[in-house]
Amino acid sequence: VQLVESGGGLVQSGGSLRLSCAVSGFTFSTYVMSWFRQYPGKERELVATITPSGGGTHYTDSVKGRFTISRDNAKDTVYLQMNSLKPEDTAVYYCNSPVATWFRQNHWGQGTQVTVSS
């Protein structure tokens, strides 16, 4: 299983970024996928989740109305569109499937750094 996140960077407060996560090694279209973020010295926290078909999504309260999770099952890729970014969104962002065996084995990609300046 490989999870390759990209799209992070430095952006000013109020700006936007689109993160991508290309996966391989499993049948992507059958798995719930999520985005997580990790602050320095903290545990990863769940940000957004999308069902296998893409028809259902869920967001943590702090990003509702600002972030949008989506997926392209033909490209084995999950996205996170982040708008109206705030300094408190600064973190390393990761994708994973919270129902997968490798998730329980603590297998992650390298993540992508998002830095929002005030």
Side-chain angles (χ1 to χ4, degrees):
V1 170
Q2 284 196 317
L3 307 156
V4 181
E5 299 92 348
S6 63
L10 173 63
V11 64
Q12 289 189 331
S13 182
S16 298
L17 284 173
R18 188 193 195 204
L19 307 184
S20 299
C21 175
V23 311
S24 61
F26 64 100
T27 308
F28 176 74
S29 62
T30 66
Y31 280 81
V32 170
M33 292 298 298
S34 296
W35 282 95
F36 300 79
R37 64 186 176 189
Q38 187 172 28
Y39 300 110
K42 303 284 189 175
E43 295 289 320
R44 289 185 185 92
E45 65 177 38
L46 180 64
V47 174
T49 298
I50 188 166
T51 57
S53 68
T57 57
H58 182 269
Y59 301 90
T60 192
D61 286 346
S62 61
V63 308
K64 281 180 182 176
R66 301 189 299 121
F67 291 10
T68 303
I69 188 171
S70 63
R71 65 192 296 160
D72 186 337
N73 286 344
K75 295 183 178 179
D76 290 353
T77 302
V78 61
Y79 304 97
L80 187 68
Q81 177 67 44
M82 305 187 296
N83 299 329
S84 302
L85 281 161
K86 304 175 180 180
E88 51 263 44
D89 296 318
T90 296
V92 180
Y93 285 72
Y94 301 85
C95 73
N96 214 326
S97 175
V99 300
T101 55
W102 62 84
F103 179 84
R104 292 190 290 275
Q105 294 164 353
N106 203 31
H107 177 74
W108 295 84
Q110 84 287 349
T112 187
Q113 174 71 48
V114 172
T115 303
V116 185
S117 63
S118 57

